[in-house]
Amino acid sequence: MADAGNKESAPIGGDEFTNTELENNKNNTMVEEGSTLLRRMEISVAEAEKRTGKNTVNMQEIFTVYLIETRPIDAITEGHNPAPDSLWRRYSEFEILRNYLLVTYPFIVVPPLPEKRAEFVWHKLSADNMDPDFVERRRIGLENFLLRVASHSVLSNDKILYHFLTEEHRWKEVVYETGFQAKADSRIKALSATFRVKNPDKRFTEMKHYSDELQSLTSQLLRVRARVADRVYGVYKVHGNYGRVFSEWSALEKEMGDGLQSAGHHMDAYAASVDDILEEEERYADQLKEYLFYAEALRAVCRKHELTQYELETASSDLISKKQQREELATGMVRTFSFKGMTNKLFGQETPEQREAKLSLLEEQIVQGEETVTEKTVECEEYVKGAWVDMQRFKEQKDRDLREALIGYAVMQISMCKKGIQVWTNAKECFHKM
C-alpha cells in the first residue's frame, strides 16, 4: 500500500501529499478507475445491538455495535440468493475508517459520519446516545455513510474500505500499518496553523466562504425546526384535552352524547399521532445534519489547498532569497541592508576560499530549491485538479439531496395540515349528527 508520509520535512505540520503521493493512492485501489464498490457489492447496516465489555482502562462499559452485511452483486444477478457475509463494528471503528480516508485522500470531500450524540433536539426528544430511537437513526446514518463511500469513484476502491467491510478482526492491523495515525495528528496541526497565502485561488476562497455560510445557515434551520417541533408537539397534545373534555361532556348529554364521544375519539387519535409524525421529521433533520457536517469536510479540502499554496510560496520566496545571496556574494554588491554587510565593512571581506565555499553551498541549495519549487508547483496543480473535480461532484450531490429533503419536508408539513383539517372535518360531522 502507498505510504504518503515519506517527506523529510514540511514547513507546517509535516504532513505532505505530493503529486507522486497522490498518484500512489492508486496503489490502494483494487479495480480499474470508474468502477465503484457499490456496483459489485450489496452493503447494509442491518441492525444495532447493545453490549457490555471492558474499555482500555479495564472499566466496565455499555456500548452499541452495528451489524454490517455484504453480498456480491454477481450472485444476486445470476439468480442466487446467498446468505450475506456479516460482521459487527463499533462507532469508533467507523471513525477510524473515516480518519484514514481523510488523511489518504485530502483532496476529496469525505462523507461525514452521523452525530455521536444528539444535537439540535427538541425538548421531548431524548439526547441519550443509548436511546433506541437515536440508535436506530444512527444505524441509518452509518449505512448512508458506507453507501456514500462505496459509491465514490475513488474512495470505493480503497483496500482498507474493503477490509473494513469483510474482515472483522485483522482490519485494524492493516489500517494502522499504513501509518495514517501519525499523519492524521500532523494533518490536524497543519490545518490549525495560522498562515496567510499571498496569491489565493479565488475559487477555493469562495468555496471556503460558502462552506462557512452553509454550516451557519444549516445550523439556524435546524434550530428553527427544533423550536417548531416543540410547538407542534404542544398543539397536538393539547388536542388530547379536547378529547378528554368531549368524553366527559358526553356522559352528561343523552342526545348529544354519541356525537361528543365520537369527536373526542377523533381528537385523541390526532393527539396520539404526533409521535410518529415527529419521528419522521427527525429523519429529515438528520439529512440536514449530514450537510451541516459535510460543510466541515468541504472546508478542510479548501484549507489543505491553502496549506499547499503557502508551502509553494514559501519555497519560491526561499529560492529567490538564495539566488540574491549568490549574486551579492559573486559581485560583492549588497542590494539591501543586512547585518552581514555591516560586519564585512567593520571587520573586512571574506577570503576568496571562504567565498568560493559559500558560493558552492549556495549553488547546491539553489538546485535543491528549484527542485522543491518544481515539486510543489506540480503538487499544487494536481491538488487543485483533483479537489476541484470532487467539489463539483459534491455540489451536484448536495443540490440534489437537499432539494429532495426539503421537498419531502414540505410534503410532510402539508400532510400534517391536511390531517388536522380532516380531524376537524370529522368532528364537524359528529356535531351535525347530535
Side-chain angles (χ1 to χ4, degrees):
M1 294 189 184
D3 183 358
N6 293 331
K7 294 296 291 178
E8 292 180 2
S9 62
I12 296 181
D15 182 19
E16 287 300 295
F17 295 88
T18 65
N19 60 300
T20 303
E21 288 162 335
L22 294 178
E23 183 69 20
N24 284 345
N25 283 332
K26 293 180 181 178
N27 294 338
N28 283 351
T29 64
M30 300 177 296
V31 295
E32 70 278 4
E33 187 177 355
S35 176
T36 66
L37 182 60
L38 203 57
R39 292 182 178 181
R40 307 187 306 278
M41 178 184 286
E42 186 181 85
I43 302 169
S44 67
V45 179
E47 61 180 273
E49 181 181 290
K50 283 186 182 180
R51 290 186 182 176
T52 303
K54 292 186 177 181
N55 58 23
T56 54
V57 293
N58 210 32
M59 297 282 289
Q60 200 76 2
E61 66 172 344
I62 300 174
F63 55 89
T64 306
V65 290
Y66 300 88
L67 180 65
I68 299 175
E69 293 185 344
T70 57
R71 186 162 31 194
I73 295 292
D74 291 345
I76 301 172
T77 55
E78 291 172 4
H80 304 294
N81 190 25
D85 294 322
S86 61
L87 49 79
W88 295 92
R89 294 279 186 233
R90 293 186 63 172
Y91 183 90
S92 58
E93 294 179 274
F94 283 86
E95 289 182 308
I96 292 172
L97 173 63
R98 185 171 186 271
N99 287 336
Y100 161 80
L101 295 175
L102 284 170
V103 169
T104 309
Y105 305 97
F107 54 94
I108 287 176
V109 185
V110 178
L113 291 170
E115 58 192 350
K116 194 165 188 174
R117 289 176 176 78
E119 299 178 16
F120 303 102
V121 296
W122 51 288
H123 78 278
K124 291 293 182 182
L125 196 69
S126 173
D128 180 9
N129 63 346
M130 290 294 177
D131 177 74
D133 291 336
F134 174 74
V135 170
E136 171 60 15
R137 291 201 311 277
R138 190 162 69 177
R139 181 198 65 78
I140 295 170
L142 291 173
E143 180 175 279
N144 184 59
F145 165 76
L146 289 180
L147 295 178
R148 293 259 195 223
V149 174
S151 62
H152 192 282
S153 60
V154 176
L155 301 179
S156 67
N157 292 313
D158 189 280
K159 289 181 180 179
I160 297 297
L161 171 64
Y162 189 78
H163 283 299
F164 178 86
L165 294 170
T166 58
E167 296 193 22
E168 184 156 14
H169 301 294
R170 193 177 177 275
W171 93 273
K172 276 189 180 181
E173 297 175 20
V174 176
V175 70
Y176 283 124
E177 284 171 3
T178 66
F180 91 95
Q181 191 62 53
K183 289 177 282 186
D185 295 339
S186 182
R187 171 184 177 272
I188 292 172
K189 292 178 183 177
L191 297 183
S192 62
T194 301
F195 54 86
R196 183 179 295 276
V197 177
K198 295 178 182 177
N199 300 301
D201 188 315
K202 185 178 179 182
R203 296 173 302 171
F204 283 82
T205 301
E206 291 176 349
M207 192 63 76
K208 183 181 176 184
H209 176 70
Y210 171 78
S211 69
D212 293 337
E213 291 298 314
L214 176 63
Q215 190 172 51
S216 174
L217 293 172
T218 310
S219 297
Q220 292 177 43
L221 184 58
L222 286 165
R223 289 190 182 93
V224 170
R225 187 211 68 86
R227 291 198 298 269
V228 170
D230 276 326
R231 299 279 182 89
V232 168
Y233 182 84
V235 168
Y236 269 70
K237 288 304 182 184
V238 163
H239 278 71
N241 293 334
Y242 279 128
R244 178 180 56 79
V245 171
F246 286 150
S247 295
E248 291 176 357
W249 194 359
S250 68
L252 298 176
E253 305 287 350
K254 291 184 179 180
E255 296 183 2
M256 295 172 55
D258 290 344
L260 288 169
Q261 189 171 46
S262 296
H265 289 328
H266 286 301
M267 296 299 167
D268 288 337
Y270 183 63
S273 69
V274 69
D275 296 308
D276 291 337
I277 290 171
L278 291 180
E279 183 59 36
E280 180 185 355
E281 186 174 296
E282 282 303 313
R283 289 195 285 271
Y284 289 110
D286 288 338
Q287 293 175 21
L288 292 176
K289 287 178 184 179
E290 182 184 22
Y291 280 92
L292 175 70
F293 305 139
Y294 251 128
E296 182 59 38
L298 180 60
R299 186 186 300 112
V301 173
C302 297
R303 183 68 172 165
K304 175 62 182 177
H305 170 260
E306 287 181 351
L307 176 59
T308 306
Q309 178 68 26
Y310 175 78
E311 290 173 349
L312 170 59
E313 292 176 357
T314 300
S316 299
S317 178
D318 186 56
L319 178 60
I320 292 171
S321 176
K322 288 287 191 296
K323 288 182 175 180
Q324 183 177 324
Q325 291 177 38
R326 179 184 62 181
E327 183 181 346
E328 292 173 353
L329 194 59
T331 61
M333 296 178 61
V334 180
R335 293 186 178 182
T336 58
F337 173 81
S338 69
F339 180 74
K340 180 183 175 183
M342 288 296 295
T343 56
N344 284 342
K345 289 183 179 180
L346 291 172
F347 302 108
Q349 296 292 328
E350 298 169 320
T351 64
E353 291 79 9
Q354 289 175 321
R355 182 179 299 176
E356 284 300 321
K358 289 188 176 181
L359 274 172
S360 177
L361 178 60
L362 277 172
E363 289 292 350
E364 292 178 9
Q365 293 174 339
I366 287 170
V367 170
Q368 293 174 357
E370 288 173 341
E371 291 175 355
T372 300
V373 168
T374 300
E375 178 185 308
K376 293 291 181 185
T377 300
V378 175
E379 176 190 347
C380 197
E381 290 172 352
E382 288 293 324
Y383 187 91
V384 168
K385 181 181 177 182
W388 193 250
V389 167
D390 198 67
M391 286 195 289
Q392 295 308 303
R393 174 206 60 80
F394 166 74
K395 183 178 183 300
E396 293 175 5
Q397 170 197 301
K398 175 213 30 121
D399 291 348
R400 180 177 62 252
D401 289 350
L402 289 181
R403 184 185 303 113
E404 290 177 1
L406 292 172
I407 289 173
Y409 185 71
V411 169
M412 189 201 73
Q413 295 292 334
I414 292 170
S415 175
M416 285 172 54
C417 294
K418 286 182 176 179
K419 183 173 288 188
I421 292 171
Q422 187 61 51
V423 163
W424 282 104
T425 300
N426 293 339
K428 184 183 73 173
E429 294 300 321
C430 294
F431 298 149
H432 273 304
K433 293 176 182 178
M434 290 193 307

